[in-house]
Amino acid sequence: MNYEISTEKIAEVITDSIREFLKNNTKCQNVNVKFHSFDNDSSERMREVVGIVTKNFPGVEIKATSKAISHLTLTESRLRNRMARYAAELNKNPNLKYEMDFYISNGTGRSARTSDEFFKESENLNCKYRDEVSKNIKGMRYVTENTSLQYFYEGEDLSGALDKLVAQEPFVLDCRLFVNLCFTLSIRDELGRDIFNERVSSNLGGKFLLEVSDINKLLDPMGLKIGLKYQGDHNKGDVLFIRSLNASVFHPASASNSSNLICLGKNSAADNQLMFQGFGEGSPLTLAEWKVHMADMAKCNLSYADLQLLSLNCKSSKIPNDGDISYKKAWDEIQKVNGSELLINELDLLAYKDMRSLYDTSGISMPDGLIGEHIHVVGLMTL
């Protein structure tokens, strides 16, 4: 039984099933009917259904038993399965781009010799992208606040706008927005397009920011909420935020220092280990494999973009997130390992860089021992 379907309709379906059964069992005098109903439905309604059905079969004893099914548990399970599905499906779309990939694809001829020129050209590209999004998708806006990417919608058809956004060429995301998009699309599939749009209108006043706060407003009528937990087992559909220690100080321009990973569930081919999928990160990996992967990325030579930003902050005593080395300390270590002459020569090459080539790998190698196969688990976002 589904509380959204009328009592009369449920009784009609059951009556038709019993009639079909009695056609092939003409001598039957007793029929057992087992009702599976959601726990947010009422036992009184079940009795009403039984009463209607019984009247349709005089002379036949209708025996009814019932079993309550958790509506909340089923809804949560479906959302978790959809999260895993979208993590795999969206990553197949070649138009989804990290901001860095967007700059590389569109950066030919845009000077990036200095950090000032890079920031100017990146803002020009962002402005062009913002205009394209607003022109192609009615009500959708792309904004950047404090270097954070955001998508904001105002209108009556968020469902249709999301379809256009996913098909936008290019579609610029980061790993945080990728996860939020998976959550939002999963909720839309659960509710259906019309109810989803109505929920945006009634619960959010027709305005939606692709962030957890607004996603929770869509989940609230379902009795669900995205929250954080820092201990416990991982489940399918959970989101794990991980960060490589000290990577961001040496690779300040990299998108690989941290990642939001969606748990896809267990993989029998990997000894039933849990698999995790990030945004644009290739095949799913176990958590142990992610540790190795992120450490390997952090141990690679600096890109010219890393070198440019690190040299800009080389006198700063600031220690980036989840590290124990300041920019100044990192610069000193880089000088010790590579020597001043090589460092000067590589910095000189920045004079010939555009935004596309700025992300090429330089000849500046990483100091040994400062990046280990250890990741910091910042939090587990779960329903």
Side-chain angles (χ1 to χ4, degrees):
M1 287 174 58
N2 187 327
Y3 73 98
E4 295 177 346
I5 301 175
S6 70
T7 300
E8 291 74 16
K9 182 63 178 177
I10 294 173
E12 179 185 340
V13 170
I14 295 173
T15 296
D16 289 344
S17 296
I18 294 175
R19 281 177 178 155
E20 193 65 30
F21 172 78
L22 291 176
K23 283 180 183 179
N24 300 317
N25 299 272
T26 56
K27 296 182 180 181
C28 181
Q29 298 295 310
N30 300 286
V31 177
N32 295 322
V33 181
K34 189 168 186 178
F35 290 83
H36 289 85
S37 60
F38 291 125
D39 55 2
N40 60 348
D41 208 340
S42 67
S43 56
E44 180 181 347
R45 199 159 81 100
M46 188 199 74
R47 288 192 292 271
E48 291 177 5
V49 171
V50 173
I52 296 172
V53 171
T54 301
K55 289 179 182 178
N56 292 325
F57 298 98
V60 178
E61 184 181 5
I62 306 295
K63 295 180 179 179
T65 57
S66 65
K67 179 181 179 181
I69 301 172
S70 172
H71 183 271
L72 186 65
T73 299
L74 282 179
T75 300
E76 180 181 333
S77 178
R78 288 193 296 265
L79 286 173
R80 288 180 177 277
N81 287 333
R82 291 187 178 109
M83 283 288 290
R85 176 169 60 84
Y86 274 118
E89 287 185 0
L90 290 174
N91 269 319
K92 296 176 183 177
N93 294 7
N95 61 308
L96 271 62
K97 302 285 187 182
Y98 267 113
E99 196 174 28
M100 178 185 74
D101 298 325
F102 171 60
Y103 294 154
I104 292 172
S105 300
N106 298 277
T108 302
R110 293 180 176 271
S111 178
R113 293 176 299 176
T114 67
S115 56
D116 286 342
E117 288 176 312
F118 169 78
F119 292 139
K120 177 183 176 181
E121 291 292 1
S122 63
E123 180 55 27
N124 288 337
L125 283 174
N126 281 331
C127 285
K128 181 180 178 181
Y129 177 68
R130 279 196 291 268
D131 291 343
E132 286 294 314
V133 169
S134 298
K135 181 180 72 174
N136 296 336
I137 310 172
K138 182 180 179 181
M140 185 67 72
R141 285 193 288 127
Y142 170 78
V143 294
T144 53
E145 292 186 6
N146 299 323
T147 71
S148 176
L149 311 182
Q150 293 182 350
Y151 286 92
F152 176 78
Y153 176 80
E154 183 172 6
E156 299 178 351
D157 185 18
L158 175 59
S159 178
L162 288 173
D163 287 337
K164 292 179 180 179
L165 187 62
V166 170
Q168 170 78 21
E169 179 63 56
F171 177 20
V172 180
L173 286 167
D174 57 21
C175 61
R176 170 185 56 87
L177 288 177
F178 175 76
V179 165
N180 293 343
L181 179 65
C182 289
F183 267 123
T184 305
L185 292 174
S186 298
I187 295 169
R188 185 187 70 174
D189 288 357
E190 175 66 21
L191 295 175
R193 291 173 176 270
D194 292 341
I195 296 177
F196 176 78
N197 284 336
E198 191 280 327
R199 185 72 53 83
V200 173
S201 176
S202 61
N203 286 38
L204 292 97
K207 300 177 182 179
F208 180 78
L209 185 65
L210 193 59
E211 292 292 346
V212 171
S213 57
D214 278 4
I215 294 171
N216 270 334
K217 291 176 183 176
L218 296 178
L219 285 170
D220 183 60
M222 301 182 192
L224 295 170
K225 182 178 181 180
I226 299 171
L228 287 176
K229 68 176 183 181
Y230 297 96
Q231 295 180 346
D233 296 331
H234 309 318
N235 298 307
K236 187 176 185 179
D238 281 345
V239 178
L240 194 63
F241 180 53
I242 60 176
R243 177 178 282 136
S244 291
L245 301 186
N246 288 329
S248 59
V249 67
F250 290 102
H251 297 280
S254 175
S256 302
N257 302 321
S258 62
S259 191
N260 286 276
L261 307 176
I262 297 176
C263 181
L264 305 184
K266 293 182 178 181
N267 187 341
S268 57
D271 298 327
N272 266 344
Q273 294 188 66
L274 289 171
M275 308 300 290
F276 295 86
Q277 175 75 61
F279 169 41
E281 297 289 354
S283 301
L285 302 173
T286 66
L287 196 54
E289 290 170 335
W290 269 103
K291 293 179 181 181
V292 175
H293 170 71
M294 293 185 71
D296 287 345
M297 294 293 291
K299 291 174 183 177
C300 289
N301 281 19
L302 273 63
S303 69
Y304 284 99
D306 291 328
L307 185 59
Q308 186 181 78
L309 289 178
L310 189 52
S311 64
L312 179 67
N313 295 298
C314 66
K315 296 181 179 179
S316 172
S317 298
K318 180 181 178 180
I319 298 175
N321 291 330
D322 298 308
D324 54 16
I325 301 174
S326 68
Y327 287 113
K328 184 178 184 304
K329 174 66 174 175
W331 186 255
D332 291 342
E333 293 295 326
I334 289 290
Q335 283 185 310
K336 288 178 185 178
V337 170
N338 293 276
S340 297
E341 183 177 354
L342 177 60
L343 198 56
I344 291 171
N345 290 339
E346 290 294 89
L347 286 169
D348 286 344
L349 289 177
L350 286 169
Y352 306 98
K353 295 294 177 184
D354 60 16
M355 290 185 68
R356 178 192 62 78
S357 61
L358 190 64
Y359 291 94
D360 291 345
T361 302
S362 77
I364 302 301
S365 59
M366 279 285 298
D368 290 333
L370 296 179
I371 302 291
E373 289 181 9
H374 177 64
I375 57 175
H376 180 64
V377 179
V378 178
L380 182 67
M381 187 162 60
T382 185
L383 289 170

